[in-house]
Amino acid sequence: MRDTTHSAAAAASTASTVAAPAAHEATAATRNSPMRAFAACCMRLTPSRDRTPWLLLVGFMLISLATVLTQAPRYGITTDEPLQQLYGEGVLAWYRSFGANTGFLTMFPAAVHMPEHGGIVDALIVALQSWLAAVSPWLVRRLVSGLVGWLGVVAIALCGYELGGAWVALAAGLGLWLYPRYYGAMFNNPKDIPAAVSLTFALWTTLLLLRYWPQRLRRIEVSVLLGCSLGAATAIRITALTWFAVLAMLLVGWWLAHGQAAWRERRVATELRRQGSVAGVIVGCWLLSTMALWPFIFLNPFANLLDSVHVMSRYPWNGPVLFDGVEYAATQLPTSYVPTWLMIGSPPMLLLLALVGAGIIVAEVARRRRINPAVATVALA
């Protein structure tokens, strides 16, 4: 649009005087609207007008999408999926009966605690299976699960774009796509992968909230998106509630960095109102979307939410886990289990880059005595 404006200026200075402000306003509107952020990520050029990273990013996204579509038929059925299929049918029956059919609550033994697991992705898969009756239901499950995983690659690329533009977006997308534990599970896992995808969108919308914080309308719009992303993640895995701790730490960090200035300038009440309104929008949208996407929570929001937190934090599965040559009960794993598993399950180059990135963050904080809020958000995530 700016090139067009400059051309008009060369042709007629009077027309340029009228067109330039309009062009600037239209460009600013596109840049400032979070609803158009995804389109901007696909269309905007870098300051040097280098199209290379965008062509590589679009090419990578198309290749990865084609990979999902062509590789889905190669995957089989895991031991959990027949159970998830039945649960999805029960949850979908609740939606189709407008809440009258609550069979999903009692269709499994109480010890399994299925209602405490979110079932919205399974219900979506079952709905698509009935719509695509001519296609194998297990192939539909493979395709939907794989496409949800692909959306996670898109989400992490959007996060990378917020941090450093198209090249960082490409690196972030490739890093997740080439992560074995992610790609290997995304065709068969209707819980962990969709939860990770929803939380990645929550990370992206949190980064957008930091960018649009000075703009009241945009701030509220992004808060709605963030609340809905958190609601979707919670309706899949209750552990998504931990993201509220990330938001709380960002809030504390803001007051540590700007609290004295706000006090001197007598802006404390103003900032509290601003932050309180955003918190109210996020929590309200989170609760409504969680209730809409998780029938168990809809039936008794607060009691069932607490019940899910209690059950999932102490899930009664005591099967043996082989680790370092020793069989442990699932509830008695050593503290080294998670870091060891992450280390041996991650590509060496990804581990190296993670260490380099952490070192850069520490060095930057030591030098400047502060940290970029967007970088802090990613580090907390």
Side-chain angles (χ1 to χ4, degrees):
M1 183 173 288
R2 291 178 180 173
D3 292 341
T4 305
T5 303
H6 292 321
S7 299
S13 59
T14 302
S16 174
T17 304
V18 175
H24 176 75
E25 292 174 5
T27 303
T30 300
R31 182 174 60 251
N32 293 334
S33 173
M35 301 301 182
R36 301 176 184 175
F38 176 72
C41 181
C42 297
M43 298 173 62
R44 233 185 302 164
L45 297 177
T46 57
S48 63
R49 298 188 182 278
D50 180 12
R51 295 177 181 270
T52 302
W54 295 109
L55 293 175
L56 292 174
L57 182 60
V58 172
F60 161 65
M61 288 300 174
L62 292 176
I63 291 173
S64 59
L65 177 60
T67 302
V68 170
L69 298 177
T70 56
Q71 296 303 306
R74 294 176 176 268
Y75 282 75
I77 303 172
T78 64
T79 55
D80 286 343
E81 285 186 294
L83 186 71
Q84 302 296 340
Q85 177 72 18
L86 291 175
Y87 185 46
E89 293 171 2
V91 173
L92 183 62
W94 183 86
Y95 282 105
R96 285 177 169 171
S97 66
F98 297 98
N101 187 340
T102 58
F104 73 94
L105 294 172
T106 57
M107 63 190 306
F108 299 99
V112 180
H113 295 286
M114 283 303 290
E116 285 86 353
H117 293 77
I120 186 60
V121 176
D122 292 302
L124 173 63
I125 291 172
V126 173
L128 290 173
Q129 287 171 341
S130 62
W131 185 53
L132 301 172
V135 183
S136 166
W138 297 108
L139 177 57
V140 173
R141 178 171 282 273
R142 296 288 82 74
L143 288 170
V144 174
S145 299
L147 289 173
V148 170
W150 179 80
L151 287 177
V153 178
V154 174
I156 200 66
L158 290 170
C159 295
Y161 179 77
E162 288 299 316
L163 288 176
W167 283 114
V168 179
L170 178 61
L174 276 171
L176 183 59
W177 180 254
L178 297 176
Y179 193 77
R181 289 291 296 160
Y182 185 86
Y183 179 86
M186 73 182 195
F187 291 96
N188 296 97
N189 194 324
K191 291 288 188 295
D192 298 320
I193 297 301
V197 172
S198 300
L199 281 175
T200 307
F201 275 107
L203 171 61
W204 176 54
T205 50
T206 302
L207 295 175
L208 288 180
L209 184 60
L210 296 175
R211 195 212 309 181
Y212 296 126
W213 186 259
Q215 305 173 43
R216 182 178 180 276
L217 179 60
R218 307 307 182 196
R219 184 171 65 243
I220 297 302
E221 289 178 351
V222 174
S223 298
V224 171
L225 294 177
L226 176 54
C228 291
S229 298
L230 285 176
T234 305
I236 300 170
R237 281 291 192 204
I238 195 68
T239 50
L241 291 175
T242 55
W243 194 258
F244 284 104
V246 174
L247 297 178
M249 285 187 280
L250 289 176
L251 182 61
V252 171
W254 188 94
W255 281 105
L256 290 175
H258 305 286
Q260 291 183 348
W263 178 264
R264 287 194 305 268
E265 299 168 9
R266 299 181 178 181
R267 294 186 291 107
V268 173
T270 300
E271 295 299 337
L272 287 175
R273 285 194 298 270
R274 180 183 299 177
Q275 294 168 2
S277 63
V278 167
V281 171
I282 292 174
V283 172
C285 292
W286 161 77
L287 181 58
L288 291 175
S289 55
T290 301
M291 292 172 60
L293 299 175
W294 193 353
F296 182 63
I297 301 301
F298 182 89
L299 296 174
N300 194 338
F302 298 105
N304 286 349
L305 188 65
L306 291 175
D307 177 60
S308 296
V309 171
H310 176 75
V311 170
M312 291 299 117
S313 62
R314 298 175 178 85
Y315 193 74
W317 186 78
N318 295 313
V321 177
L322 181 63
F323 174 63
D324 197 21
V326 179
E327 281 194 349
Y328 295 91
T331 56
Q332 298 177 346
L333 290 171
T335 55
S336 60
Y337 177 80
V338 172
T340 302
W341 181 241
L342 286 174
M343 184 175 298
I344 65 176
S346 302
M349 181 57 67
L350 195 62
L351 290 173
L352 176 63
L353 292 176
L355 292 174
V356 170
I360 292 174
I361 292 174
V362 171
E364 191 70 6
V365 171
R367 184 174 67 89
R368 303 178 65 178
R369 300 298 178 183
R370 64 188 307 167
I371 185 172
N372 182 290
V375 174
T377 302
V378 174
L380 290 173

